[in-house]
Amino acid sequence: MQSVAAALDRLGELAASPAVSTLADAFEAGGHELALVGGPVRDAFLGRPVHDLDFTTDATPEQILGIVKPIAEAHWDIGRAFGTIGAKIAGETVEITTYRADAYDGASRKPDVVFGDSIEDDLVRRDFTVNALALRLPKLELVDVADGVGDLVAQVLRTPSAPEVSFGDDPLRMLRAARFASQLGFEVEAGTLAAMTELAPAIERISAERVRDELAKLLSTDDPIAGLRLLVDTGLAGFVLPELPALKLEVDEHHHHKDVYEHSLTVLRQAIGHEVSRGTLDSPDLVLRLAALLHDIGKPRTRRLEPGGAVSFHHHDVVGAKLARKRLRELRFDNDTVDAVSRLVELHLRFFGYGDAGWTDSAVRRYVRDAGDQLERLHILTRSDVTTRNRRKAERLEFAYDDLERRIAELAAQEELDAVRPELDGQQIMEILGIRPGPLVGEAYKFLLDVRLDDGPIGEDAARERLLAWWAVRDA
């Protein structure tokens, strides 16, 4: 946290930049107010990089366009109906929004858009005091209607108005509290926290798309664990991601197993660590993080208390993959994300057992084939799934996976493993067997793919002989 004077100096430097100064002068000449607002002002106080330039104004969207057009390299309607206009000025992307006073009517899943009259009214309707800060331009006057600077110093998240009113206006703010708790490392003020718990059911008024976007932002923070705990502790997760609190399995005094909820959070944290340290994925990687969080959600459905105090979770990988697919579809994630996450959940147990017996080259090829383009994420997820406190066991599993990755690399170099396919394609199969397109071609192709996986490259002549031998037995 920087001092007020240092933050204002930093904001002054930002205001003097070509994009901000050009915009400020244009709005002043047009007789309208303009202020830098929200995240950029907050981050200037926190000493964080400023990535987005967000402004608020008393001008209507049509008036904003009239002012921006002559000075912008490009402009666009982000959502004129919502009061926001985007533009590119002096090489910088900016967003300018008319003062707002949105409210939900209690029935709609989206807010009614109402334009406000003053910056003070606009700020008091924002989500948290630390985001309800503005810098009037061009005179560089800080506007702090709810002691946002004080809350920045105290590292507290608090709503500018009564939390019941704020969350009633937009229940999504409760999810935003969880995201900012992780993103900023702040605590949620007691009254705000109590309101989140009391009003948790109101989140059902929010569209699945908005909930999805906020969950994705939370998972994309450097350490989302605090925010996820907040969602579970307040009951919000029970409405937006019920599989997460369900991992808190009831403890039986005669049957013991690891805490699946805590294990899943640890796996997520370790996956993020591997994601960053390996540097093989773009970070943050939402698919990996979703898979890490959800990899064991099949356990509550498959838990069985066995004689002697044992607990089993047979096929929780398959059940979990189906549950992950269902939940992510309900949250309106795109098909590629749904497919990738559910595939990783399904495959996350495949490796275990390798260290005890080892795998044939055929088994390694199948592992790679089944993972497909998710192989790197599967590497990270599998490594992250080791949370045992038994140091010897952890080291043995790490050594075994190191060995598996080494073998995959060697086979890939030898056989171009990433593109494993039979030596003969469908057209050649039809010509050799004298058959037409249909299911028989698929059967033959699968047979040759199994040969390829089991024996490696054998050449077209040998593949032809194996195909004819298979056909003779099948046709007999």
Side-chain angles (χ1 to χ4, degrees), residues 93 112 406 429:
T93 298
D112 293 327
R406 176 189 59 76
I429 289 171

Side-chain angles (χ1 to χ4, degrees), residues 343 364-372 417 420 449-450 453:
R343 189 64 173 148
V364 175
R365 293 187 190 100
R366 290 175 189 276
Y367 186 78
V368 174
R369 181 195 66 179
D370 291 346
L417 191 55
V420 171
L449 179 58
D450 287 339
L453 290 169

